[in-house]
PDB file of all heavy atoms in Angstrom:
ATOM      1  N   LYS A   1     105.610 154.756  92.722  1.00 96.00           N
ATOM      2  CA  LYS A   1     104.368 154.022  92.960  1.00 96.00           C
ATOM      3  C   LYS A   1     103.818 154.417  94.325  1.00 96.00           C
ATOM      4  O   LYS A   1     104.490 154.276  95.345  1.00 96.00           O
ATOM      5  CB  LYS A   1     104.626 152.519  92.887  1.00 96.00           C
ATOM      6  CG  LYS A   1     104.988 152.039  91.488  1.00 96.00           C
ATOM      7  CD  LYS A   1     105.333 150.567  91.441  1.00 96.00           C
ATOM      8  CE  LYS A   1     106.750 150.308  91.879  1.00 96.00           C
ATOM      9  NZ  LYS A   1     107.161 148.904  91.640  1.00 96.00           N
ATOM     10  N   THR A   2     102.582 154.914  94.342  1.00 94.00           N
ATOM     11  CA  THR A   2     101.967 155.342  95.586  1.00 94.00           C
ATOM     12  C   THR A   2     101.188 154.190  96.222  1.00 94.00           C
ATOM     13  O   THR A   2     101.063 153.104  95.648  1.00 94.00           O
ATOM     14  CB  THR A   2     101.008 156.524  95.346  1.00 94.00           C
ATOM     15  OG1 THR A   2      99.851 156.049  94.642  1.00 94.00           O
ATOM     16  CG2 THR A   2     101.676 157.626  94.541  1.00 94.00           C
ATOM     17  N   GLY A   3     100.632 154.446  97.397  1.00 94.00           N
ATOM     18  CA  GLY A   3      99.872 153.420  98.090  1.00 94.00           C
ATOM     19  C   GLY A   3      98.672 152.931  97.306  1.00 94.00           C
ATOM     20  O   GLY A   3      98.286 151.757  97.397  1.00 94.00           O
ATOM     21  N   MET A   4      98.076 153.804  96.510  1.00 97.00           N
ATOM     22  CA  MET A   4      96.914 153.398  95.719  1.00 97.00           C
ATOM     23  C   MET A   4      97.295 152.337  94.701  1.00 97.00           C
ATOM     24  O   MET A   4      96.520 151.402  94.430  1.00 97.00           O
ATOM     25  CB  MET A   4      96.289 154.615  95.029  1.00 97.00           C
ATOM     26  CG  MET A   4      95.682 155.607  96.014  1.00 97.00           C
ATOM     27  SD  MET A   4      94.889 157.002  95.189  1.00 97.00           S
ATOM     28  CE  MET A   4      96.289 157.808  94.437  1.00 97.00           C
ATOM     29  N   TYR A   5      98.483 152.469  94.126  1.00 97.00           N
ATOM     30  CA  TYR A   5      98.965 151.448  93.191  1.00 97.00           C
ATOM     31  C   TYR A   5      99.005 150.091  93.878  1.00 97.00           C
ATOM     32  O   TYR A   5      98.517 149.082  93.334  1.00 97.00           O
ATOM     33  CB  TYR A   5     100.359 151.828  92.673  1.00 97.00           C
ATOM     34  CG  TYR A   5     101.072 150.681  91.995  1.00 97.00           C
ATOM     35  CD1 TYR A   5     100.846 150.401  90.654  1.00 97.00           C
ATOM     36  CD2 TYR A   5     101.941 149.861  92.707  1.00 97.00           C
ATOM     37  CE1 TYR A   5     101.472 149.329  90.030  1.00 97.00           C
ATOM     38  CE2 TYR A   5     102.574 148.792  92.099  1.00 97.00           C
ATOM     39  CZ  TYR A   5     102.340 148.530  90.761  1.00 97.00           C
ATOM     40  OH  TYR A   5     102.945 147.462  90.159  1.00 97.00           O
ATOM     41  N   TYR A   6      99.577 150.036  95.072  1.00 97.00           N
ATOM     42  CA  TYR A   6      99.713 148.763  95.768  1.00 97.00           C
ATOM     43  C   TYR A   6      98.369 148.225  96.241  1.00 97.00           C
ATOM     44  O   TYR A   6      98.156 147.010  96.284  1.00 97.00           O
ATOM     45  CB  TYR A   6     100.689 148.904  96.929  1.00 97.00           C
ATOM     46  CG  TYR A   6     102.115 149.101  96.474  1.00 97.00           C
ATOM     47  CD1 TYR A   6     102.730 150.347  96.545  1.00 97.00           C
ATOM     48  CD2 TYR A   6     102.839 148.041  95.937  1.00 97.00           C
ATOM     49  CE1 TYR A   6     104.036 150.531  96.109  1.00 97.00           C
ATOM     50  CE2 TYR A   6     104.147 148.210  95.493  1.00 97.00           C
ATOM     51  CZ  TYR A   6     104.745 149.459  95.586  1.00 97.00           C
ATOM     52  OH  TYR A   6     106.030 149.628  95.144  1.00 97.00           O
ATOM     53  N   ALA A   7      97.457 149.123  96.595  1.00 98.00           N
ATOM     54  CA  ALA A   7      96.129 148.671  97.020  1.00 98.00           C
ATOM     55  C   ALA A   7      95.436 147.897  95.906  1.00 98.00           C
ATOM     56  O   ALA A   7      94.877 146.812  96.126  1.00 98.00           O
ATOM     57  CB  ALA A   7      95.282 149.867  97.447  1.00 98.00           C
ATOM     58  N   ILE A   8      95.465 148.443  94.692  1.00 98.00           N
ATOM     59  CA  ILE A   8      94.831 147.752  93.569  1.00 98.00           C
ATOM     60  C   ILE A   8      95.572 146.454  93.248  1.00 98.00           C
ATOM     61  O   ILE A   8      94.958 145.436  92.906  1.00 98.00           O
ATOM     62  CB  ILE A   8      94.782 148.665  92.334  1.00 98.00           C
ATOM     63  CG1 ILE A   8      94.049 149.971  92.640  1.00 98.00           C
ATOM     64  CG2 ILE A   8      94.081 147.957  91.168  1.00 98.00           C
ATOM     65  CD1 ILE A   8      94.156 151.009  91.545  1.00 98.00           C
ATOM     66  N   LYS A   9      96.886 146.463  93.383  1.00 98.00           N
ATOM     67  CA  LYS A   9      97.679 145.295  93.029  1.00 98.00           C
ATOM     68  C   LYS A   9      97.321 144.091  93.886  1.00 98.00           C
ATOM     69  O   LYS A   9      97.446 142.941  93.432  1.00 98.00           O
ATOM     70  CB  LYS A   9      99.173 145.611  93.156  1.00 98.00           C
ATOM     71  CG  LYS A   9     100.085 144.525  92.609  1.00 98.00           C
ATOM     72  CD  LYS A   9     101.548 144.956  92.632  1.00 98.00           C
ATOM     73  CE  LYS A   9     102.443 143.868  92.048  1.00 98.00           C
ATOM     74  NZ  LYS A   9     103.867 144.307  92.011  1.00 98.00           N
ATOM     75  N   HIS A  10      96.895 144.297  95.122  1.00 98.00           N
ATOM     76  CA  HIS A  10      96.467 143.177  95.960  1.00 98.00           C
ATOM     77  C   HIS A  10      95.362 142.379  95.277  1.00 98.00           C
ATOM     78  O   HIS A  10      95.219 141.176  95.515  1.00 98.00           O
ATOM     79  CB  HIS A  10      95.980 143.686  97.313  1.00 98.00           C
ATOM     80  CG  HIS A  10      97.077 143.873  98.316  1.00 98.00           C
ATOM     81  ND1 HIS A  10      97.521 142.861  99.126  1.00 98.00           N
ATOM     82  CD2 HIS A  10      97.822 144.963  98.621  1.00 98.00           C
ATOM     83  CE1 HIS A  10      98.496 143.308  99.899  1.00 98.00           C
ATOM     84  NE2 HIS A  10      98.698 144.582  99.615  1.00 98.00           N
ATOM     85  N   PHE A  11      94.590 143.028  94.444  1.00 98.00           N
ATOM     86  CA  PHE A  11      93.496 142.358  93.727  1.00 98.00           C
ATOM     87  C   PHE A  11      93.920 141.973  92.311  1.00 98.00           C
ATOM     88  O   PHE A  11      93.784 140.819  91.893  1.00 98.00           O
ATOM     89  CB  PHE A  11      92.270 143.266  93.676  1.00 98.00           C
ATOM     90  CG  PHE A  11      91.765 143.651  95.029  1.00 98.00           C
ATOM     91  CD1 PHE A  11      92.295 144.751  95.715  1.00 98.00           C
ATOM     92  CD2 PHE A  11      90.757 142.922  95.641  1.00 98.00           C
ATOM     93  CE1 PHE A  11      91.832 145.102  96.964  1.00 98.00           C
ATOM     94  CE2 PHE A  11      90.287 143.273  96.892  1.00 98.00           C
ATOM     95  CZ  PHE A  11      90.833 144.367  97.561  1.00 98.00           C
ATOM     96  N   SER A  12      94.438 142.950  91.554  1.00 98.00           N
ATOM     97  CA  SER A  12      94.723 142.713  90.139  1.00 98.00           C
ATOM     98  C   SER A  12      95.789 141.641  89.942  1.00 98.00           C
ATOM     99  O   SER A  12      95.739 140.887  88.959  1.00 98.00           O
ATOM    100  CB  SER A  12      95.161 144.019  89.462  1.00 98.00           C
ATOM    101  OG  SER A  12      96.366 144.521  90.034  1.00 98.00           O
ATOM    102  N   ARG A  13      96.730 141.552  90.849  1.00 98.00           N
ATOM    103  CA  ARG A  13      97.833 140.602  90.720  1.00 98.00           C
ATOM    104  C   ARG A  13      97.385 139.160  90.975  1.00 98.00           C
ATOM    105  O   ARG A  13      97.905 138.218  90.360  1.00 98.00           O
ATOM    106  CB  ARG A  13      98.950 140.975  91.691  1.00 98.00           C
ATOM    107  CG  ARG A  13     100.133 140.028  91.701  1.00 98.00           C
ATOM    108  CD  ARG A  13     100.980 140.183  90.480  1.00 98.00           C
ATOM    109  NE  ARG A  13     101.984 139.127  90.395  1.00 98.00           N
ATOM    110  CZ  ARG A  13     102.725 138.881  89.323  1.00 98.00           C
ATOM    111  NH1 ARG A  13     102.568 139.631  88.253  1.00 98.00           N
ATOM    112  NH2 ARG A  13     103.607 137.918  89.315  1.00 98.00           N
ATOM    113  N   PHE A  14      96.427 138.969  91.855  1.00 98.00           N
ATOM    114  CA  PHE A  14      96.116 137.627  92.338  1.00 98.00           C
ATOM    115  C   PHE A  14      94.709 137.137  91.994  1.00 98.00           C
ATOM    116  O   PHE A  14      94.461 135.939  92.012  1.00 98.00           O
ATOM    117  CB  PHE A  14      96.329 137.573  93.846  1.00 98.00           C
ATOM    118  CG  PHE A  14      97.707 137.997  94.265  1.00 98.00           C
ATOM    119  CD1 PHE A  14      97.919 139.207  94.918  1.00 98.00           C
ATOM    120  CD2 PHE A  14      98.799 137.194  93.985  1.00 98.00           C
ATOM    121  CE1 PHE A  14      99.193 139.602  95.288  1.00 98.00           C
ATOM    122  CE2 PHE A  14     100.081 137.583  94.356  1.00 98.00           C
ATOM    123  CZ  PHE A  14     100.280 138.797  95.007  1.00 98.00           C
ATOM    124  N   VAL A  15      93.792 138.063  91.679  1.00 98.00           N
ATOM    125  CA  VAL A  15      92.424 137.665  91.357  1.00 98.00           C
ATOM    126  C   VAL A  15      92.303 137.652  89.833  1.00 98.00           C
ATOM    127  O   VAL A  15      92.013 138.663  89.201  1.00 98.00           O
ATOM    128  CB  VAL A  15      91.396 138.619  91.992  1.00 98.00           C
ATOM    129  CG1 VAL A  15      89.974 138.148  91.679  1.00 98.00           C
ATOM    130  CG2 VAL A  15      91.608 138.699  93.505  1.00 98.00           C
ATOM    131  N   ASP A  16      92.546 136.496  89.258  1.00 98.00           N
ATOM    132  CA  ASP A  16      92.563 136.368  87.802  1.00 98.00           C
ATOM    133  C   ASP A  16      91.164 136.573  87.221  1.00 98.00           C
ATOM    134  O   ASP A  16      90.150 136.363  87.894  1.00 98.00           O
ATOM    135  CB  ASP A  16      93.060 134.978  87.401  1.00 98.00           C
ATOM    136  CG  ASP A  16      94.494 134.722  87.828  1.00 98.00           C
ATOM    137  OD1 ASP A  16      95.276 135.684  87.873  1.00 98.00           O
ATOM    138  OD2 ASP A  16      94.818 133.557  88.130  1.00 98.00           O
ATOM    139  N   ARG A  17      91.136 136.951  85.928  1.00 98.00           N
ATOM    140  CA  ARG A  17      89.856 136.979  85.222  1.00 98.00           C
ATOM    141  C   ARG A  17      89.205 135.587  85.300  1.00 98.00           C
ATOM    142  O   ARG A  17      89.885 134.565  85.232  1.00 98.00           O
ATOM    143  CB  ARG A  17      90.062 137.389  83.772  1.00 98.00           C
ATOM    144  CG  ARG A  17      88.779 137.339  82.943  1.00 98.00           C
ATOM    145  CD  ARG A  17      88.950 138.014  81.603  1.00 98.00           C
ATOM    146  NE  ARG A  17      89.213 139.438  81.779  1.00 98.00           N
ATOM    147  CZ  ARG A  17      89.937 140.187  80.944  1.00 98.00           C
ATOM    148  NH1 ARG A  17      90.494 139.642  79.884  1.00 98.00           N
ATOM    149  NH2 ARG A  17      90.113 141.476  81.182  1.00 98.00           N
ATOM    150  N   ASP A  18      87.893 135.587  85.437  1.00 98.00           N
ATOM    151  CA  ASP A  18      87.081 134.371  85.584  1.00 98.00           C
ATOM    152  C   ASP A  18      87.184 133.758  86.975  1.00 98.00           C
ATOM    153  O   ASP A  18      86.666 132.654  87.199  1.00 98.00           O
ATOM    154  CB  ASP A  18      87.399 133.327  84.512  1.00 98.00           C
ATOM    155  CG  ASP A  18      87.056 133.819  83.112  1.00 98.00           C
ATOM    156  OD1 ASP A  18      86.065 134.584  82.982  1.00 98.00           O
ATOM    157  OD2 ASP A  18      87.765 133.470  82.155  1.00 98.00           O
ATOM    158  N   SER A  19      87.850 134.456  87.912  1.00 98.00           N
ATOM    159  CA  SER A  19      87.695 134.068  89.315  1.00 98.00           C
ATOM    160  C   SER A  19      86.249 134.289  89.720  1.00 98.00           C
ATOM    161  O   SER A  19      85.539 135.111  89.125  1.00 98.00           O
ATOM    162  CB  SER A  19      88.613 134.905  90.213  1.00 98.00           C
ATOM    163  OG  SER A  19      89.979 134.662  89.929  1.00 98.00           O
ATOM    164  N   VAL A  20      85.823 133.579  90.741  1.00 98.00           N
ATOM    165  CA  VAL A  20      84.449 133.706  91.222  1.00 98.00           C
ATOM    166  C   VAL A  20      84.489 134.130  92.684  1.00 98.00           C
ATOM    167  O   VAL A  20      85.206 133.532  93.498  1.00 98.00           O
ATOM    168  CB  VAL A  20      83.686 132.376  91.075  1.00 98.00           C
ATOM    169  CG1 VAL A  20      82.284 132.486  91.663  1.00 98.00           C
ATOM    170  CG2 VAL A  20      83.616 131.961  89.609  1.00 98.00           C
ATOM    171  N   ARG A  21      83.749 135.173  92.995  1.00 98.00           N
ATOM    172  CA  ARG A  21      83.673 135.595  94.396  1.00 98.00           C
ATOM    173  C   ARG A  21      82.940 134.541  95.208  1.00 98.00           C
ATOM    174  O   ARG A  21      81.941 133.973  94.752  1.00 98.00           O
ATOM    175  CB  ARG A  21      82.955 136.941  94.529  1.00 98.00           C
ATOM    176  CG  ARG A  21      82.872 137.409  96.003  1.00 98.00           C
ATOM    177  CD  ARG A  21      82.331 138.812  96.108  1.00 98.00           C
ATOM    178  NE  ARG A  21      80.928 138.929  95.777  1.00 98.00           N
ATOM    179  CZ  ARG A  21      79.928 138.795  96.652  1.00 98.00           C
ATOM    180  NH1 ARG A  21      80.180 138.493  97.915  1.00 98.00           N
ATOM    181  NH2 ARG A  21      78.677 138.970  96.254  1.00 98.00           N
ATOM    182  N   VAL A  22      83.472 134.300  96.418  1.00 98.00           N
ATOM    183  CA  VAL A  22      82.838 133.356  97.338  1.00 98.00           C
ATOM    184  C   VAL A  22      82.554 134.052  98.666  1.00 98.00           C
ATOM    185  O   VAL A  22      83.027 135.164  98.927  1.00 98.00           O
ATOM    186  CB  VAL A  22      83.713 132.109  97.563  1.00 98.00           C
ATOM    187  CG1 VAL A  22      83.875 131.334  96.266  1.00 98.00           C
ATOM    188  CG2 VAL A  22      85.073 132.489  98.146  1.00 98.00           C
ATOM    189  N   SER A  23      81.807 133.388  99.509  1.00 98.00           N
ATOM    190  CA  SER A  23      81.352 133.987 100.763  1.00 98.00           C
ATOM    191  C   SER A  23      82.479 134.081 101.790  1.00 98.00           C
ATOM    192  O   SER A  23      83.223 133.121 102.009  1.00 98.00           O
ATOM    193  CB  SER A  23      80.214 133.151 101.342  1.00 98.00           C
ATOM    194  OG  SER A  23      79.843 133.619 102.622  1.00 98.00           O
ATOM    195  N   ILE A  24      82.616 135.253 102.390  1.00 98.00           N
ATOM    196  CA  ILE A  24      83.482 135.428 103.551  1.00 98.00           C
ATOM    197  C   ILE A  24      82.850 136.499 104.434  1.00 98.00           C
ATOM    198  O   ILE A  24      82.306 137.487 103.936  1.00 98.00           O
ATOM    199  CB  ILE A  24      84.924 135.819 103.153  1.00 98.00           C
ATOM    200  CG1 ILE A  24      85.850 135.797 104.380  1.00 98.00           C
ATOM    201  CG2 ILE A  24      84.968 137.173 102.473  1.00 98.00           C
ATOM    202  CD1 ILE A  24      87.330 135.993 104.043  1.00 98.00           C
ATOM    203  N   THR A  25      82.880 136.290 105.718  1.00 97.00           N
ATOM    204  CA  THR A  25      82.385 137.308 106.646  1.00 97.00           C
ATOM    205  C   THR A  25      83.507 138.291 106.944  1.00 97.00           C
ATOM    206  O   THR A  25      84.682 138.020 106.699  1.00 97.00           O
ATOM    207  CB  THR A  25      81.904 136.670 107.953  1.00 97.00           C
ATOM    208  OG1 THR A  25      83.010 136.019 108.603  1.00 97.00           O
ATOM    209  CG2 THR A  25      80.798 135.647 107.694  1.00 97.00           C
ATOM    210  N   ASP A  26      83.138 139.457 107.477  1.00 95.00           N
ATOM    211  CA  ASP A  26      84.157 140.375 107.971  1.00 95.00           C
ATOM    212  C   ASP A  26      83.658 141.033 109.246  1.00 95.00           C
ATOM    213  O   ASP A  26      82.599 140.663 109.773  1.00 95.00           O
ATOM    214  CB  ASP A  26      84.591 141.389 106.919  1.00 95.00           C
ATOM    215  CG  ASP A  26      83.476 142.272 106.400  1.00 95.00           C
ATOM    216  OD1 ASP A  26      82.373 142.258 106.985  1.00 95.00           O
ATOM    217  OD2 ASP A  26      83.701 142.988 105.405  1.00 95.00           O
ATOM    218  N   THR A  27      84.407 141.972 109.758  1.00 95.00           N
ATOM    219  CA  THR A  27      84.073 142.634 111.016  1.00 95.00           C
ATOM    220  C   THR A  27      84.218 144.135 110.840  1.00 95.00           C
ATOM    221  O   THR A  27      84.662 144.614 109.783  1.00 95.00           O
ATOM    222  CB  THR A  27      84.995 142.160 112.153  1.00 95.00           C
ATOM    223  OG1 THR A  27      86.328 142.647 111.913  1.00 95.00           O
ATOM    224  CG2 THR A  27      85.025 140.627 112.239  1.00 95.00           C
ATOM    225  N   ASP A  28      83.898 144.899 111.853  1.00 94.00           N
ATOM    226  CA  ASP A  28      84.101 146.344 111.785  1.00 94.00           C
ATOM    227  C   ASP A  28      85.571 146.689 111.608  1.00 94.00           C
ATOM    228  O   ASP A  28      85.922 147.664 110.938  1.00 94.00           O
ATOM    229  CB  ASP A  28      83.563 147.007 113.056  1.00 94.00           C
ATOM    230  CG  ASP A  28      82.046 146.975 113.139  1.00 94.00           C
ATOM    231  OD1 ASP A  28      81.403 146.797 112.081  1.00 94.00           O
ATOM    232  OD2 ASP A  28      81.508 147.120 114.255  1.00 94.00           O
TER     233      ASP A  28
END
């Protein structure tokens, strides 16, 4: 498993279908 696998898993594992994106700010 390469780093790309783990990068996607941060989302696919925890952001279930029918989740709704909400507002968050970020920085540079």
Side-chain angles (χ1 to χ4, degrees):
K1 292 176 279 189
T2 71
M4 294 182 294
Y5 165 85
Y6 290 105
I8 303 171
K9 189 174 181 177
H10 274 273
F11 301 86
S12 62
R13 177 74 189 168
F14 305 109
V15 182
D16 297 329
R17 176 168 296 150
D18 296 327
S19 296
V20 176
R21 180 172 70 89
V22 296
S23 174
I24 188 172
T25 63
D26 60 11
T27 69
D28 290 340

